[in-house]
């Protein structure tokens, strides 16, 4: 039987160059106080010997774990995975977060936590004890959960709060939900729409309210009414279906609808079809999220593209900067969203009510 090849370790590299383990570790972690010529020799040995740095080796340079923990909502994430309906929040978060971590020699791990659980603090402390992360990324609705925020603040762990405006603790990062909703509304106004309905997301997410605020602000700016044009949803298909039915049953229904999630936009598209309305001729639709499915509907749906990957990447940057003791930005970090135009919006002058 062939002998298993012995793995190259940090000790082999140190012995080859004739330096300490700590020196090799500092080179791996791109830390200062290593002479350029010595750094070059260590890197040459790493490449020649085929050494792949491990997290254990990286930890030798100090107290850092080189792990960043991202917390996502357990119930909603599992429900999305089981439904297999094309939601890709976690995928985009991993894309942005993992790539940025890799640039700095870090790893990212995702944990699912129930923000409503009475044991949320215990779950969080158990994860921290097991992983000893250098920082934590909170996603909505965890970002504004007072138990979670207070726990992390007490543990003195750098943490980024995606989808939060709070400045009491941690590093808040916004995807500009309010501005994105206003952009979507102005896009419809520019196409001549005057009655624009809005389907809000789940009330437990602060961003749902910010999107409503953006829609209202843009409607007011254009001198347009909002009375009766707002319907509550919870991001799910079923809630979008009910909301779209209510909006289209109005005595003077909207000529355009903005839905706060792709699932609710898909439901609106189906309700319009069942009602004999053609999109976009009879009804224009704009969605939030811009998950892949938006490209495969008939027509393809215009959508607000949430910068999830860019936001997760920025969260990693801020955590690493905090770990290094760098100066952090005083202003609230805002990652702008964009509008992806497809085929679900038409000029209101083309609208023919069924």
């Amino acid at each position: 039987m062939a002998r298993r090849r012995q793995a190259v370790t940090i000790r082999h590299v140190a012995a080859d160059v004739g330096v300490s383990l700590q020196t090799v570790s500092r080179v791996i972690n791109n830390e200062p106080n290593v002479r350029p010529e010595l750094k070059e020799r260590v890197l040459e040995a790493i490449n020649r010997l085929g050494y792949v740095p491990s997290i254990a080796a990286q930890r030798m340079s100090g107290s850092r774990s080189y792990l960043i923990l991202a917390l996502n909502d357990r119930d909603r994430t599992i429900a999305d995975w089981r439904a297999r309906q094309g939601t890709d929040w976690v995928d985009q978060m991993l894309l942005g977060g993992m790539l940025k971590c890799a640039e700095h020699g870090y790893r990212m791990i995702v944990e699912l936590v129930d923000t409503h659980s009475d044991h949320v603090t215990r779950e969080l402390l158990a994860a921290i004890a097991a992983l000893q992360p250098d920082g934590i990324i909170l996603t909505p609705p965890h970002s504004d959960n007072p138990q979670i925020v207070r726990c992390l603040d007490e543990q003195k762990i750098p943490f980024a709060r995606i989808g939060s405006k709070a400045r009491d603790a941690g590093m808040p990062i916004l995807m500009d939900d309010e501005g994105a909703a206003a952009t979507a509304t102005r896009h419809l106004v520019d196409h001549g729409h005057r009655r624009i309905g809005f389907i809000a997301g789940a009330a437990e997410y602060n961003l749902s309210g910010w999107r409503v605020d953006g829609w209202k602000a843009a409607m007011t700016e254009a001198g347009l009414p909002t009375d009766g044009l707002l319907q509550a949803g919870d991001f799910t298909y079923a809630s979008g279906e009910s909301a779209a039915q209510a909006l289209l049953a109005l005595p003077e229904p909207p000529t355009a609808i903005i839905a706060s999630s792709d699932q609710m936009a898909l439901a609106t598209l189906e309700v319009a079809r069942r009602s004999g309305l053609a999109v976009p001729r009879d009804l224009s639709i704009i969605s939030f999220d811009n998950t892949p499915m938006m490209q495969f509907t008939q027509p393809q749906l215009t959508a607000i593209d949430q910068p999830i990957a860019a936001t997760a990447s920025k969260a990693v940057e801020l955590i690493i900067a905090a770990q290094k003791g760098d100066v952090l930005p005083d202003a609230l970090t805002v990652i702008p969203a964009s509008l992806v135009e497809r085929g679900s919006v038409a000029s209101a002058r083309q609208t023919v009510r069924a």
Side-chain angles (χ1 to χ4, degrees):
M1 185 173 68
R3 294 182 61 186
R4 183 179 178 182
R5 182 183 177 187
Q6 184 181 14
V8 177
T9 69
I10 191 173
R11 295 183 184 278
H12 293 108
V13 176
D16 185 88
V17 182
V19 297
S20 68
L21 300 180
Q22 287 73 19
T23 297
V24 177
S25 185
R26 284 197 293 272
V27 172
I28 292 169
N29 297 312
N30 198 28
E31 294 183 2
N33 303 323
V34 180
R35 298 193 311 275
E37 64 275 12
L38 182 56
K39 181 177 182 178
E40 186 175 341
R41 286 171 51 204
V42 171
L43 290 174
E44 186 279 328
I46 287 173
N47 292 329
R48 175 165 43 81
L49 297 175
Y51 170 63
V52 178
S54 66
I55 291 176
Q58 289 174 306
R59 288 182 174 182
M60 292 186 64
S61 66
S63 59
R64 283 185 285 174
S65 68
Y66 291 89
L67 291 176
I68 291 178
L69 176 64
L71 299 183
N72 216 48
D73 186 21
R74 176 186 290 140
D75 290 346
R76 191 173 295 277
T77 301
I78 292 175
D80 287 344
W81 283 343
R82 285 178 173 164
R84 302 181 70 179
Q85 292 176 333
T87 54
D88 68 344
W89 165 275
V90 176
D91 289 348
Q92 289 298 306
M93 182 176 67
L94 290 174
L95 170 64
M98 292 179 72
L99 289 179
K100 183 56 65 174
C101 279
E103 288 181 22
H104 298 273
Y106 277 71
R107 301 291 188 273
M108 192 168 89
I109 296 177
V110 175
E111 287 277 325
L112 302 182
V113 175
D114 181 5
T115 195
H116 302 297
S117 170
D118 294 336
H119 310 299
V120 64
T121 302
R122 188 169 65 193
E123 285 186 48
L124 185 54
L125 289 175
I128 292 172
L131 300 171
Q132 298 180 6
D134 285 342
I136 292 179
I137 299 173
L138 300 181
T139 61
H142 300 323
S143 309
D144 285 316
N145 181 310
Q147 288 179 280
I148 293 177
V149 170
R150 184 167 56 251
C151 175
L152 295 182
D153 196 33
E154 291 173 351
Q155 293 294 311
K156 307 301 181 186
I157 297 175
F159 61 101
R161 302 167 67 175
I162 294 178
S164 176
K165 293 182 179 180
R167 306 300 299 273
D168 55 330
M171 296 167 282
I173 308 175
L174 291 181
M175 290 189 284
D176 195 19
D177 291 274
E178 185 172 342
T183 295
T185 306
R186 292 188 189 108
H187 183 69
L188 293 169
V189 170
D190 290 343
H191 280 74
H193 292 276
R194 294 297 176 262
R195 287 189 61 77
I196 302 170
F198 195 92
I199 303 176
E204 67 178 317
Y205 288 73
N206 287 336
L207 59 85
S208 296
W210 299 333
R211 292 177 185 178
V212 172
D213 292 342
W215 165 70
K216 286 184 176 179
M219 292 289 279
T220 300
E221 175 186 284
L224 301 176
T226 59
D227 292 348
L229 292 173
L230 175 63
Q231 286 289 322
D234 61 10
F235 297 128
T236 64
Y237 186 98
S239 72
E241 189 174 34
S242 298
Q245 288 171 346
L247 286 171
L248 294 178
L250 291 171
E252 189 180 354
T255 61
I257 294 176
I258 301 171
S260 287
S261 76
D262 286 345
Q263 290 294 319
M264 297 195 297
L266 288 174
T268 302
L269 185 63
E270 175 59 18
V271 169
R273 186 193 65 80
R274 293 200 306 254
S275 302
L277 302 176
V279 176
R281 186 193 67 193
D282 302 325
L283 179 72
S284 291
I285 299 174
I286 294 183
S287 179
F288 261 85
D289 295 338
N290 194 36
T291 53
M293 73 182 91
M294 296 298 96
Q295 303 174 56
F296 303 108
T297 57
Q298 289 296 328
Q300 294 182 333
L301 288 175
T302 294
I304 290 293
D305 187 63
Q306 288 199 91
I308 300 168
T311 303
S313 176
K314 188 63 178 180
V316 170
E317 278 187 11
L318 290 174
I319 288 171
I320 293 175
Q323 271 287 344
K324 291 180 177 179
D326 294 346
V327 177
L328 299 175
D330 291 330
L332 181 66
T333 302
V334 179
I335 310 296
S338 59
L339 179 74
V340 180
E341 297 184 43
R342 296 194 180 98
S344 64
V345 173
S347 174
R349 63 177 176 272
Q350 300 174 3
T351 300
V352 179
R353 302 306 301 169

